[in-house]
Amino acid sequence: MKPKEQNYSRSRRLKNQIKAVVTNPYNVIVLIAIVLLTYLIVLPLLDMISTSFTLAQKDARLAGGAAGDFTLYYWKRLVASELTGQMLLEPLFNSLMIGVCVSFFAILIGSVLAWLMVRTDLPFKKFFSLAVIIPYMIPSWCKSQAWLTMFKTERIGGAPGFLMSMGINVPDWLAYGPVAIITVLSLHYYAYAYLLVSAALNSINSELEEMGEIQGAGKATILRKITFPLVLPAMLSAVILTFSKAIGTFGVINYLGSKVNFVTLSSQLYMNSKSQNTQTAFAMALLLIFIASISVFVNQKLIGSRKSYATIGGKGGRSTPIRLGHHKPLITVILFVFFIVGIIMPIALLVLESFMLKEGNYSLSNFTLHYWIGDPVPNIMEGLPGIFKNDDFINSLINSLKLTFVNGIFGTIFGQIIGYICAKGRGKLYGRVVEQLVFIPYLIPSIAFGGIFLSMFSKPQTLFGVTLIPSLYGTFALLTLVSVVKHLPFASRAGTSNMLQIGGELEEAAEIAGAGFFKRFVRIVFPLSKGGFISGFMLIFVSIMKELDLIILLMTPTTSTLPYLAFQYQNGNAAQASDCVAIVMFSIVFLVYAIANIFGDADLAKSMGG
């Protein structure tokens, strides 16, 4: 073959290869996913970084520059000024203390519960398996309301809580501050540890523990030498999940810390955002992202050094429950008490307070339905009617239902598609790129994430003078966008777990039979992933229904949701109305989950990543 013909042949082969890549629907979906994730995640993060180094108009005179100039003014003010202690060091110390303490107690509680549920002959497992995930469905700020109802003092809260009304003197440090915050958050986040650790324990072949028992090892030794090392990666993942969530939480800090001036970086971030100190708020957010990134890096190093522990029993494994022996009755009673105190009592307290005309008065004459169905009374709740006669509540209820269902559907679809890409791209460059991109929102505190999208989409998005996206400020579209993107890490994890369970040979057989990509996806992939789809939907539904931190900066009177309305009532000294809203919200979540569990085989453990 002549050189000219060889060059032509090579050129034609290259064109055919490029055409095959470009016309492959899967490659097109991967490209679109990377472009969208870059635009919706990377660009907002870069905008946050850029904003923290950009001089604002109101600070131009103090900083000695012009608006829009590059500046280190905000970083110097934050880390190297007379205000550093008040603005940074104290909130940073409080944030780290909360994160470390909550991680320790939540992992301890969740891991012990997981071991008892999965590896032992504990009775009433069906009841406990439902009770143990209820804390995930109750917002942490709802638990804060219940805590105040129980422990509030007249000295700070204005009205006595349940214990004070019974004549029991409650110390202020128990009602408000770090002890209250750590306790409430620990009782909330242990559900994450339980779901992750129980999934790891379910995959362990009990023969490994039985071999240790045959060698004469006691239960404590087996637990320490065999079981613990095997589930350590899952526990470390739970630590990172809990730590990152705890240092970035705002609702609980506002409820239990604001009245005693207990501040964290997240509460400082909120105050600066509300005061239009966007640059300082973004600098604080970047510090939180940096701390979370360091914790993830350490976690990966620790897991990486223990890869040898990944030799967990395969399909032929079996699980033989460990007998609790004479300790069984005591452990069962302790668990019942724990669930009564940690789950049933908070809900009961919220219900009780919602029927009280005045806080702290538990006499029968003080009980009323006013906050539920009452007509307006000038001296009660600023003349507002009960929630079921209140237009603000009806509007917030409609917005919450619309937001959760729309985001549940879109978020789950996108999560399943990204999960499909990650599952098929395991070990490939594009798969790693998508996995890393979709993980970024997890590292960004919810308040900061809402602030980024507010800053970015409050003005039209243009390209070469053409408006691609109009201003979204105050619109339902902005709430939908920020909610979907923020929850993509969990949605994609659920999708990846789902897609990894579908054998690749099924698609290969359909492809050989002549079925195109979309036909294979609709006829094979989607039907087989239906159960995981429903579980993923419930994960997003529950998360968004109770979401406060993410959307608090985006709220307007027309876009108010149930969590934000409860937040407004609580800050407006209408705790009973706030309790009513919280009860309605929890009831919706529990009802939808029960229906999905009964008729759709929904399981939060599946979507949390087993």
Side-chain angles (χ1 to χ4, degrees):
M1 186 179 291
K2 296 180 180 180
K4 189 174 182 180
E5 292 176 343
Q6 288 179 337
N7 290 337
Y8 175 77
S9 177
R10 273 196 224 98
S11 175
R12 186 174 181 181
R13 188 163 56 249
L14 180 61
K15 287 180 180 178
N16 289 335
Q17 289 174 344
I18 294 173
K19 183 179 179 181
V21 170
V22 172
T23 57
N24 187 327
Y26 177 74
N27 294 332
V28 174
I29 290 175
V30 171
L31 179 61
I32 292 173
I34 291 175
V35 170
L36 284 177
L37 291 174
T38 301
Y39 177 69
L40 293 173
I41 296 173
V42 178
L43 289 186
L45 182 60
L46 293 177
D47 182 63
M48 174 191 279
I49 297 171
S50 173
T51 300
S52 71
F53 291 102
T54 303
L55 190 61
Q57 178 68 50
K58 64 186 180 68
D59 298 315
R61 184 177 61 83
L62 290 173
D69 286 352
F70 175 85
T71 183
L72 294 174
Y73 171 73
Y74 302 103
W75 283 98
K76 287 180 179 178
R77 185 166 175 262
L78 187 62
V79 302
S81 74
E82 294 178 354
L83 298 173
T84 298
Q86 179 184 349
M87 289 182 62
L88 177 64
L89 296 183
E90 181 186 349
L92 176 61
F93 173 80
N94 289 340
S95 293
L96 293 176
M97 178 183 65
I98 295 296
V100 171
C101 292
V102 170
S103 298
F104 174 79
F105 289 114
I107 302 309
L108 178 64
I109 295 170
S111 299
V112 170
L113 286 173
W115 182 77
L116 288 171
M117 289 290 296
V118 177
R119 306 303 291 166
T120 72
D121 61 344
L122 182 75
F124 308 111
K125 283 189 178 182
K126 193 170 184 179
F127 165 78
F128 288 136
S129 64
L130 175 62
V132 78
I133 63 168
I134 289 179
Y136 177 76
M137 293 187 275
I138 305 175
S140 55
W141 52 266
C142 279
K143 297 185 181 72
S144 300
Q145 290 178 230
W147 185 272
L148 291 177
T149 302
M150 174 64 75
F151 296 104
K152 187 163 55 176
T153 67
E154 293 175 305
R155 296 180 295 274
I156 296 178
F162 181 78
L163 293 181
M164 285 286 286
S165 67
M166 297 292 107
I168 301 173
N169 185 29
V170 178
D172 293 340
W173 59 263
L174 181 60
Y176 294 93
V179 172
I181 292 169
I182 290 169
T183 304
V184 167
L185 288 177
S186 298
L187 289 174
H188 179 71
Y189 287 125
Y190 82 79
Y192 291 123
Y194 168 80
L195 291 170
L196 290 170
V197 175
S198 62
L201 286 169
N202 272 316
S203 64
I204 297 176
N205 190 338
S206 64
E207 290 177 356
L208 298 172
E209 294 167 319
E210 290 170 5
M211 288 170 63
E213 193 172 1
I214 291 171
Q215 295 296 319
K219 288 184 175 63
T221 303
I222 292 171
L223 190 63
R224 188 177 71 254
K225 296 287 188 178
I226 299 176
T227 309
F228 178 74
L230 289 171
V231 299
L232 185 59
M235 292 178 68
L236 291 173
S237 296
V239 167
I240 299 307
L241 177 62
T242 306
F243 179 80
S244 301
K245 288 280 188 181
I247 64 171
T249 192
F250 165 73
V252 174
I253 307 298
N254 178 76
Y255 278 83
L256 300 177
S258 59
K259 291 191 176 182
V260 291
N261 296 319
F262 183 85
V263 294
T264 62
L265 279 180
S266 60
S267 60
Q268 285 285 75
L269 194 159
Y270 172 75
M271 288 187 284
N272 278 282
S273 295
K274 293 294 286 185
S275 303
Q276 302 299 314
N277 297 322
T278 307
Q279 288 81 358
T280 303
F282 282 179
M284 291 178 173
L286 290 170
L287 288 175
L288 284 171
I289 295 170
F290 177 74
I291 294 170
S293 301
I294 292 296
S295 65
V296 171
F297 175 77
V298 172
N299 176 62
Q300 292 300 322
K301 288 295 182 182
L302 290 173
I303 291 178
S305 68
R306 292 183 172 271
K307 286 182 180 176
S308 60
Y309 286 126
T311 56
I312 297 174
K315 293 181 179 179
R318 58 189 177 85
S319 179
T320 303
I322 297 173
R323 296 186 179 278
L324 295 175
H326 62 277
H327 297 295
K328 185 189 292 187
L330 177 62
I331 292 173
T332 304
V333 170
I334 291 174
L335 280 184
F336 270 113
V337 171
F338 172 78
F339 286 121
I340 290 171
V341 173
I343 299 173
I344 298 175
M345 187 176 291
I347 298 173
L349 286 172
L350 291 180
V351 174
L352 179 67
E353 190 176 59
S354 71
F355 292 107
M356 292 165 53
L357 186 62
K358 294 181 180 179
E359 293 182 84
N361 184 351
Y362 290 87
S363 63
L364 289 177
S365 60
N366 188 51
F367 281 75
T368 178
L369 292 173
H370 175 80
Y371 295 99
W372 290 97
I373 57 174
D375 293 319
V377 177
N379 62 342
I380 300 178
M381 206 168 70
E382 298 181 354
L384 294 174
I387 64 168
F388 287 128
K389 293 184 177 181
N390 191 323
D391 291 338
D392 290 338
F393 171 78
I394 301 301
N395 177 59
S396 298
L397 175 62
I398 293 172
N399 285 340
S400 287
L401 291 174
K402 187 165 62 171
L403 186 67
T404 49
F405 277 105
V406 170
N407 281 274
I409 293 170
F410 280 105
T412 306
I413 291 173
F414 294 151
Q416 296 294 314
I417 291 173
I418 292 174
Y420 182 79
I421 294 171
C422 294
K424 300 300 178 185
R426 277 289 168 95
K428 299 177 182 177
L429 177 61
Y430 69 83
R432 291 196 298 270
V433 169
V434 171
E435 279 186 308
Q436 294 300 320
L437 285 175
V438 82
F439 183 71
I440 293 175
Y442 172 73
L443 297 175
I444 304 176
S446 293
I447 286 184
F449 199 82
I452 300 172
F453 271 64
L454 178 62
S455 174
M456 182 173 176
F457 290 100
S458 60
K459 52 186 180 293
Q461 299 291 297
T462 60
L463 181 65
F464 303 118
V466 179
T467 300
L468 300 179
I469 303 176
S471 172
L472 299 179
Y473 176 74
T475 65
F476 183 78
L478 180 57
L479 292 179
T480 300
L481 187 63
V482 71
S483 298
V484 168
V485 178
K486 177 61 179 173
H487 291 92
L488 270 181
F490 284 125
S492 64
R493 178 167 184 163
T496 303
S497 299
N498 199 16
M499 295 302 170
L500 286 173
Q501 297 175 24
I502 302 174
E505 63 274 6
L506 298 174
E507 279 193 87
E508 292 171 5
E511 187 176 10
I512 293 172
F517 173 80
F518 291 105
K519 189 174 183 179
R520 298 197 305 270
F521 197 86
V522 172
R523 295 288 184 87
I524 297 175
V525 176
F526 182 74
L528 291 175
S529 63
K530 185 177 67 174
F533 186 94
I534 296 173
S535 296
F537 172 85
M538 280 310 307
L539 176 69
I540 299 174
F541 181 92
V542 172
S543 298
I544 295 178
M545 175 60 82
K546 64 183 185 178
E547 185 63 69
L548 175 64
D549 296 3
L550 178 65
I551 61 175
I552 194 168
L553 294 176
L554 309 178
M555 287 289 97
T556 65
T558 56
T559 59
S560 175
T561 60
L562 291 179
Y564 184 69
L565 183 64
F567 171 78
Q568 284 186 307
Y569 281 147
Q570 185 71 30
N571 283 353
N573 294 319
Q576 298 95 319
S578 180
D579 294 337
C580 293
V581 175
I583 292 164
V584 170
M585 185 189 61
F586 168 71
S587 300
I588 292 171
V589 169
F590 193 78
L591 178 63
V592 173
Y593 179 73
I595 293 172
N597 185 265
I598 295 170
F599 298 103
D601 194 30
D603 185 357
L604 285 178
K606 294 178 183 177
S607 49
M608 281 293 290

